[in-house]
Amino acid sequence: MALLEAQNASIDFWAGPPWARRAVHALQNVDLSVEAGEVIGVVGESGSGKSTLGNLFIGRLKPTLGTLTYHGKPLASIPRRERAGRFAAVLQHPKWSLNPMMKVGDSVIEPLQLLGKAGSSREQQQRVGEILERVSLPGNYQYRYPHELSGGQRQRVSIARAMITKPEFVLFDEAVSALDVSVQAQVLNMIKDLQRDVGFSAIFISHDLAATRYVASRIAVFYAGKMVEDAPSGHFYETASQPYSKGLQFASGLLDNPDFELKLGENTKVITGCSLNDRCPLAYDLCKRESPPLRHFDQGLRVACHLNEE
Amino acid sequence: MLFIAARLGLAALTIAGVATLVFFGMRLIPGSYADLFFPLASEADREAISIEYGLDGSALEQYILWLGKLLQGDFGTSLVTNKPVIDEIVQRLPLTLELGFLALMIIAFIGFPMGIISGMFHKKWTSQVGRHSSTFLMSIPNFVLGSLLVYAFSVNSLGLKAGGWAPLSEGLMENLKYAILPAFTLSITGLGLVLATARSSVLGVIGQDHILAAVSRGLSPKDIFSKHIFRNALIPVITIFAIVAGYLLGGTVLVETVFSLDGVGRLLVNSITRRDYPVVQIGVILTATAFVLTNTIADILYGIIDPRVTEKNDG
Amino acid sequence: MANSFSDSSDSDTPTSIHDSASTHDNGHGDVLIEDSGAGANNPSPGQRFTRLLRVAGPTTVIMVLILLSMIFIGIIEPYLAIADYKNIASGPRRSAPTIQWLFGTDNLGRSVFARVLEGIRLTFLLSVTAVVAAGIVGSFIGMAAAWYRGIFDTFIARMADVLFAFPSLIFGLIISAIIGPGSFAAIVAIFFIVLPTMVRVVRGAAIGVVNRDFVVAAQISGASTARILFKHIFPNVASVTVVQTAYLLSIGMIIESSLSFLGLGVQPPASSLGALLREGSAFLNIAPWMVLAPGAVLTLAIFCVNYVGDAARSIIEPAQPRPLE
Ligand SMILES: Nc1ncnc2c1ncn2[C@@H]1O[C@H](COP(=O)(O)OP(=O)(O)OP(=O)(O)O)[C@@H](O)[C@H]1O
Ligand code: SF4
Ligand SMILES: [Mg+2]
C-alpha cells in the first residue's frame, strides 16, 4: 500500500476582493501516490500548483474533491497527535525558515518535544549537537539565533529540524532555490545522504530540473493545476515525450532544441481542449477540442498529450 | 464602481452597528426614565409613562420599533423637552459645526504648512522644533488647554471672549470673538497630528532618489517643491485630515463644557445623565455617520487616485 | 525579546528585527555573518544597554527618567509624609503657591502638590491597567483573527469598525452610566476604546507572520494552535505590541482624565489629575493654581509617554511611519 496517495484530488481557491470573487483551480484531478522511501520530484512553472500539491500531501490543505490517503486512511481523519513526528517540511525562504526569536537549538528540538520524546535538557543538547553535525554545522550553533547564521546554514538547520524525528514523509518546497549554486550542491548532497540513511519518502518541489534530477526517482510535471506527465527519472531526462516537459528542459538548458522554447504566458485562463494548446509548438486541431487524458505506459510512465497514443 | 458600492455598504453596516450598540448600551443603564424623573409616581403611573414614551416591552421589541421608525425618517422626541430630537440637535448644530469647521481651517492653514516647513529644513532647528511641538500639541488634553485659555483671557481678554457665544447672525466679527478660542482648543490634537504627518511625509519624499536626481539635474528648488514634495506630502495628509475631521464632531464635548457652550456635544452629555434615550441615540448615530462618511470618502478618493488600493482589498 | 535591539535597521516588516546583518562568502561555500552594530554577535547586556542609550539620545533618556520618577513617586506617594497634607484644613485655604505649599492649597486647605502626586498615581494606575489589559486581550484577538481568517476575522474587523466610529468620550460616558462612575468604569471605558486599535495593529503584524515557513514547519511537526500562537507568532509581534501599548497609554491617560474631568471617572475624595482639574475649574479665577498645576503635570506626563513611545518606535521599527489610527 502506498504511504500517501492522492486520488482524483482537486483543490480550488477563492481569490480576489469580495465583490469580484473568482475560483482558482489550483489542482485538478490529480492521481499520484508516494511509496515508502520514494522521492518524487515535482516541476512546473510558477503558479502551476506545486506548492498546493505539497500542502495537500502534508495535510495542510484538504482536497476540495477527491481524497488523500495515508496508509489507506484519509489523512484528514488522523488526529494531529498521531501525525506528529511523521511529517516534516523544509521550505523556501532561508530568511523565514527559523523562528527569529528562538535559539537554533530550540527550533531543532521542537518536533521531538512535541512528541514528548526530547528527554532531559542535557539529552536535548546532545541530540541537537549530533544532528547539527550530521548537517555539517558545528554543534554549538544551537546556542545561536538564526540571524547569526547564513542562509545556507539556516536551511541546513531546517533540514536538521525536519530529520530529528526520523519522519516518514518530508516535503521539500523549493528548499534550495534561494541558495547560491555552490551551497545548493552541498545541501542537495546532504538531502540525498539523509534520505538514504533515514529512508523517508519525499516530494521535492523545484523549478530547477537539474536539482530534481539529482534527488528524485520520479518526476511529476504540473501545468495549470494538472499533472501532464509522471515519469521515472531516467526516462524523463532521456526521452521525455510531453511537449511541455521538453519545454521545461529547454528552459533549464537540458535540451537544445529551440522548437521547445516556452512562451511564458498566463496559464490561469480557462482553455477548452488541452490547457497547453496556446503555447505548445506541436499543437494541432484535436488539441483545441479535446483535453488529452493521462495515459498509462510501461514502467509507471503516465503522459497527457494527444501525440502520445498507442 | 463595485469598489465604491462595497465601501458604502461597509459604511452602512458600521453605522448600523453603532446604532445597535448605542441602543442597547443605553438600555443597560440602570434606572429607567420614569425612576429618574417621577421617583414618587405609583406603579400604574410609571406604566403609563413607559407606554407613553414607547419604553414598554422588551428591549428587543423597542429596538425593532425604533429602527423601523428611524428608517422612515422618524427620529423620535426628546423625553425631557418633548421636542422632536431633530429640532434639539439642529438647534445646536450650527455652533458645533462652526467650531469643527474653524478647527479644520486652523489645522489646514497652520498645521500643514508648519509640518512642511519643519520637514523641508531637515536637521536644522526648525525640524526639531516641529518634531517636539507636534508631540507636545498631541499631549495637551483639550480641556487643559481650554481651562488655561479661559483663565488667561479672563486676566487679559485682548478682545476675545473665553466662554459664551454669539451666533453668526450677530455679525462675523462678533461671532469670531467667541469662536476663536474654543475652535483653537478643539484643533489642538489634529494640529499636532497633521504637523507630524506632513513633516514625516516630506522627510520621506526628500530622501527619495528621484528628488536627489532632480536636485542633481539642477531643477529649481521651487519646481522641486511644487512638482514633487508638495504633491507627495499631500496624500498622507489628506488621509489624516479625514480622520481628524471625523473625530472633531465627537471631540467637541469637552470644549463645549469648558467654554460653557450649548452645542451638540454638551447636549449629548446632559442627555446621557437624564436618560434621554432618543437624543443620545440620534446624536451618537449622527456623530458616527460623520466619522464614517469622511473616512469612506477619503478611502474612495484614495482608490480613484491610486488604483492599487482597490485591488489590495481581498479577503 | 533578548535580541530586539541588537540590529540597527530593517525595513522589510515590523517583525523582521534580525536580518540586517551583512554577509560575505568565506570561500568554502558557507556564508559568514557580520553583525552591523558594535559588540559583534553576542553583545553582553551591558553593551546592549549602552548601545541602546546611544541610539536613544539624551532627550529620550531624560524623558524616561522623568516618567520613571513620576511613576515611582506615584507608587510611594501613600507612604510619604506629604500625603497627610491631603487632609482637609491641613493648611490655609486657597493659598497661592509658596515654598511651603509648592502648588498652593485648595478651597478646603489641602495641599495641591500632595493631591497632584496622588492624582499622578491614579491617572497612571488606571490607564496602565486598562491599556495593558487591552494590549493582552487585543494581541490575543488580533493573532487569532490573523490565524483563523475567514468569518471570525471579518467579524472582528467589523466590530473594530463600529468601536472606532463610536464617539469615544460618549462611549466612556455611557459605560460609566452603566456601571456607575468611578475608577472601574474608567478602566473599562479605556479598555474598550483602545482595544480596536490594538487588535488592528497586532492583526496586521501577525498576518505577516502566520504563513512564514517556520510557522508552517511547526504546524506540520504537530504543534497545537495555542503553541503556534504563543511560541511562534507572539514573540514576533511582541515588539509591535509594546510600541503600540506605549502609544495607546497616552490616549488612555487622556480618556481617563477627560472622564474624570466630566465627573464620571474617579470619584472624590480620591482624585486623578482630571478630577483635580474639575474641582479646580470652579475656582479658576480665584485660585488658578488648582487648575494650572494638575493641568501642567498631566500634560507633562502625557508628553513624556508620547515622547518615549516615539523613541521606542523609532528604535524598534526604524522604517515604520507612525501608526495613524
Ligand atoms: N491561499 C490561496 N488563495 C488563493 N489562491 C491561491 C492560494 N494559494 C495558491 N493560490 C493560487 O493557486 C495557484 C497555484 O499556486 P501554487 O502556490 O501551488 O503554485 P506554485 O507552483 O507553487 O508556484 P511557485 O513556483 O510560484 O511557488 C496560483 O494561481 C495561486 O495564485
Ligand atoms: S495535447 Fe496537443 S497541445 Fe497538449 S501538449 Fe500535446 S500536442 Fe501540445
Ligand atoms: Mg510554490
Side-chain angles (χ1 to χ4, degrees):
Chain A
M1 187 186 295
L3 175 67
L4 285 160
E5 182 169 14
Q7 286 166 336
N8 198 25
S10 299
I11 291 183
D12 294 341
F13 290 114
W14 290 98
W19 54 89
R21 276 278 139 87
R22 58 172 210 286
V24 176
H25 306 293
L27 223 50
Q28 294 179 50
N29 312 91
V30 173
D31 287 305
L32 184 66
S33 64
V34 182
E35 304 294 331
E38 185 181 35
V39 178
I40 299 187
V42 173
V43 298
E45 288 164 290
S46 185
S48 54
K50 307 183 296 293
S51 297
T52 308
L53 181 85
N55 281 324
L56 172 72
F57 273 78
I58 215 85
R60 258 203 2 129
L61 288 174
K62 294 194 182 81
T64 315
L65 284 174
T67 54
L68 183 85
T69 56
Y70 169 71
H71 291 303
K73 279 191 283 185
L75 183 59
S77 72
I78 299 168
R80 172 173 60 82
R81 289 184 182 288
E82 283 174 37
R83 278 190 248 174
R86 303 186 182 193
F87 292 80
V90 181
L91 305 173
Q92 181 169 13
H93 304 283
K95 188 172 172 181
W96 294 115
S97 56
L98 299 170
N99 187 337
M101 294 297 184
M102 269 161 82
K103 287 210 172 110
V104 162
D106 295 334
S107 285
V108 171
I109 201 73
E110 184 179 29
L112 262 191
Q113 283 174 340
L114 291 168
L115 275 179
K117 292 189 187 157
S120 70
S121 75
R122 241 262 192 63
E123 286 166 344
Q124 292 187 11
Q125 290 178 19
Q126 183 166 354
R127 277 209 154 105
V128 172
E130 282 165 12
I131 199 124
L132 284 181
E133 273 159 28
R134 187 68 191 75
V135 294
S136 313
L137 288 174
N140 63 7
Y141 271 35
Q142 60 180 296
Y143 308 113
R144 294 193 171 192
Y145 280 95
H147 76 278
E148 297 168 284
L149 268 52
S150 70
Q153 291 170 336
R154 275 181 252 177
Q155 284 309 74
R156 288 179 209 198
V157 174
S158 308
I159 293 172
R161 174 182 56 189
M163 293 304 136
I164 197 147
T165 58
K166 300 209 176 0
E168 281 179 279
F169 177 79
V170 184
L171 169 66
F172 294 92
D173 191 346
E174 311 272 13
V176 297
S177 310
L179 306 179
D180 289 344
V181 181
S182 58
V183 185
Q184 259 188 24
Q186 295 175 351
V187 175
L188 282 174
N189 261 324
M190 184 173 301
I191 293 175
K192 205 169 170 176
D193 285 355
L194 283 164
Q195 200 277 329
R196 213 172 293 138
D197 294 356
V198 180
F200 56 79
S201 313
I203 281 186
F204 186 92
I205 295 172
S206 179
H207 56 258
D208 176 5
L209 269 66
T212 36
R213 175 181 213 169
Y214 194 68
V215 294
S217 54
R218 250 166 79 198
I219 307 291
V221 185
F222 279 78
Y223 181 79
K226 286 185 183 149
M227 190 163 73
V228 295
E229 175 160 12
D230 169 22
S233 187
H235 182 279
F236 179 81
Y237 286 100
E238 277 142 37
T239 52
S241 36
Q242 225 286 346
Y244 179 64
S245 304
K246 288 189 174 173
L248 289 177
Q249 290 183 357
F250 178 81
S252 39
L254 298 175
L255 186 77
D256 45 0
N257 183 347
D259 284 351
F260 291 99
E261 178 162 4
L262 281 182
K263 293 179 282 266
L264 288 179
E266 195 168 302
N267 57 16
T268 46
K269 66 184 171 205
V270 185
I271 284 184
T272 48
C274 177
S275 43
L276 279 155
N277 69 30
D278 58 337
R279 298 171 65 185
C280 176
L282 308 180
Y284 62 108
D285 51 351
L286 180 60
C287 307
K288 306 258 180 231
R289 277 181 280 125
E290 275 174 39
S291 177
L294 195 64
R295 286 199 177 75
H296 295 241
F297 300 90
D298 291 348
Q299 293 177 318
L301 171 68
R302 293 185 291 167
V303 181
C305 176
H306 290 307
L307 293 177
N308 283 263
E309 293 185 46
E310 266 166 332
Chain B
M1 270 311 113
L2 271 171
F3 165 72
I4 295 178
R7 271 278 168 271
L8 289 176
L10 267 187
L13 195 67
T14 306
I15 294 168
V18 170
T20 311
L21 191 61
V22 67
F23 186 91
F24 289 104
M26 288 303 288
R27 308 295 127 153
L28 280 178
I29 300 178
S32 69
Y33 169 74
D35 289 343
L36 209 67
F37 284 92
F38 307 96
L40 301 176
S42 69
E43 258 328 293
D45 287 348
R46 286 175 186 221
E47 198 108 317
I49 292 167
S50 289
I51 291 172
E52 186 184 336
Y53 291 113
L55 300 175
D56 56 326
S58 73
L60 194 64
E61 284 167 15
Q62 292 180 35
Y63 174 68
I64 291 166
L65 214 68
W66 172 69
L67 215 56
K69 284 188 180 164
L70 194 63
L71 291 177
Q72 291 164 21
D74 177 358
F75 292 131
T77 328
S78 161
L79 300 181
V80 176
T81 61
N82 257 328
K83 281 198 271 180
V85 171
I86 201 72
D87 290 357
E88 293 279 350
I89 289 176
V90 164
Q91 183 193 337
R92 293 169 174 87
L93 205 53
L95 186 151
T96 303
L97 282 183
E98 188 187 338
L99 285 187
F101 175 77
L102 286 178
L104 277 184
M105 291 297 109
I106 294 172
I107 295 169
F109 291 105
I110 298 181
F112 182 52
M114 270 169 55
I116 297 228
I117 291 170
S118 126
M120 295 280 291
F121 299 95
H122 187 35
K123 287 190 178 143
K124 298 215 180 100
W125 64 271
T126 32
S127 179
Q128 288 311 307
V129 167
R131 182 168 145 221
H132 296 312
S133 60
S134 68
T135 308
F136 184 67
L137 292 175
M138 284 186 273
S139 304
I140 313 176
N142 53 22
F143 63 91
V144 171
L145 178 67
S147 304
L148 180 71
L149 292 178
V150 169
Y151 172 65
F153 283 83
S154 70
V155 175
N156 183 350
S157 81
L158 300 173
L160 295 178
K161 302 278 199 233
W165 189 254
L168 262 175
S169 55
E170 290 177 27
L172 183 64
M173 281 325 285
E174 190 60 21
N175 169 261
L176 282 181
K177 260 189 205 167
Y178 286 89
I180 272 297
L181 292 178
F184 175 67
T185 307
L186 181 60
S187 75
I188 193 82
T189 310
L191 204 60
L193 204 52
V194 166
L195 202 167
T197 311
R199 175 177 181 273
S200 66
S201 60
V202 168
L203 280 178
V205 176
I206 284 183
Q208 280 169 12
D209 292 344
H210 70 269
I211 299 287
L212 299 179
V215 172
S216 62
R217 277 206 315 272
L219 215 64
S220 82
K222 202 175 141 214
D223 283 353
I224 294 176
F225 179 78
S226 58
K227 289 212 179 98
H228 295 283
I229 297 176
F230 186 75
R231 197 176 298 175
N232 283 301
L234 205 56
I235 292 179
V237 170
I238 286 176
T239 319
I240 279 295
F241 206 70
I243 291 172
V244 168
Y247 272 121
L248 281 181
L249 265 193
T252 56
V253 172
L254 289 162
V255 174
E256 288 171 12
T257 305
V258 172
F259 288 92
S260 330
L261 304 175
D262 188 20
V264 177
R266 273 244 283 190
L267 174 71
L268 280 182
V269 176
N270 293 336
S271 303
I272 291 172
T273 33
R274 293 190 299 219
R275 307 286 183 279
D276 198 345
Y277 305 112
V279 177
V280 178
Q281 283 154 200
I282 299 301
V284 166
I285 291 173
L286 284 185
T287 315
T289 306
F291 176 83
V292 171
L293 280 190
T294 41
N295 283 287
T296 304
I297 290 169
D299 248 17
I300 291 174
L301 285 181
Y302 224 68
I304 292 169
I305 299 170
D306 184 354
R308 274 172 313 172
V309 174
T310 47
E311 284 158 24
K312 232 174 18 192
N313 274 290
D314 38 334
Chain C
M1 285 306 296
N3 270 6
S4 300
F5 300 123
S6 57
D7 285 331
S8 49
S9 70
D10 189 322
S11 52
D12 191 356
T13 68
T15 53
S16 57
I17 299 160
H18 296 299
D19 291 274
S20 60
S22 57
T23 58
H24 71 82
D25 205 291
N26 67 354
H28 299 290
D30 276 27
V31 179
L32 291 186
I33 307 287
E34 248 178 17
D35 224 14
S36 43
N41 274 350
N42 280 310
S44 72
Q47 283 171 315
R48 253 184 220 150
F49 186 68
T50 40
R51 201 199 295 177
L52 178 61
L53 285 188
R54 211 181 53 224
V55 175
T59 328
T60 310
V61 174
I62 294 171
M63 292 296 163
V64 171
L65 290 179
I66 297 179
L67 201 55
L68 287 180
S69 49
M70 278 194 190
I71 292 172
F72 178 70
I73 292 173
I75 292 171
I76 63 168
E77 183 269 341
Y79 312 106
L80 292 178
I82 193 175
D84 294 340
Y85 295 104
K86 282 182 314 203
N87 294 331
I88 288 174
S90 48
R93 289 177 171 209
R94 295 197 295 264
S95 155
T98 61
I99 301 286
Q100 191 191 354
W101 307 102
L102 265 186
F103 292 168
T105 58
D106 70 5
N107 55 314
L108 299 175
R110 294 174 286 193
S111 159
V112 173
F113 185 65
R115 301 195 74 201
V116 163
L117 292 191
E118 187 202 13
I120 295 177
R121 187 177 60 139
L122 273 177
T123 298
F124 271 112
L125 187 70
L126 301 188
S127 28
V128 169
T129 310
V131 172
V132 168
I136 294 169
V137 175
S139 300
F140 186 74
I141 298 178
M143 287 193 302
W147 179 255
Y148 290 110
R149 300 301 292 262
I151 296 276
F152 178 68
D153 188 25
T154 311
F155 176 74
I156 294 295
R158 295 294 82 83
M159 290 298 284
D161 282 351
V162 170
L163 280 181
F164 263 123
F166 209 105
S168 50
L169 202 50
I170 301 294
F171 183 85
L173 294 178
I174 294 179
I175 293 276
S176 116
I178 293 175
I179 52 189
S183 307
F184 183 64
I187 291 179
V188 174
I190 298 169
F191 176 84
F192 280 109
I193 291 169
V194 301
L195 185 65
T197 311
M198 201 73 216
V199 170
R200 274 195 189 175
V201 171
V202 173
R203 176 191 176 275
I207 287 274
V209 183
V210 289
N211 282 320
R212 292 290 186 209
D213 291 353
F214 64 86
V215 176
V216 176
Q219 211 184 348
I220 292 167
S221 304
S224 64
T225 302
R227 185 185 170 95
I228 288 174
L229 287 184
F230 288 107
K231 195 114 202 226
H232 293 286
I233 297 179
F234 184 71
N236 287 288
V237 300
S239 63
V240 182
T241 309
V242 168
V243 167
Q244 199 60 28
T245 303
Y247 166 68
L248 290 177
L249 182 58
S250 69
I251 291 185
M253 291 165 74
I254 291 184
I255 297 166
E256 188 283 319
S257 51
S258 305
L259 282 178
S260 297
F261 180 73
L262 290 172
L264 292 155
V266 176
Q267 296 298 302
S271 47
S272 70
L273 294 172
L276 288 177
L277 269 147
R278 172 187 175 77
E279 282 178 40
S281 50
F283 306 95
L284 187 57
N285 291 322
I286 36 181
W289 51 88
M290 283 178 67
V291 168
L292 301 184
V297 171
L298 178 60
T299 306
L300 177 65
I302 297 175
F303 182 72
C304 290
V305 169
N306 270 330
Y307 197 95
V308 173
D310 268 349
R313 193 196 329 277
S314 60
I315 291 169
I316 298 182
E317 306 164 9
Q320 293 295 304
R322 187 188 181 91
L324 303 176
E325 316 168 40

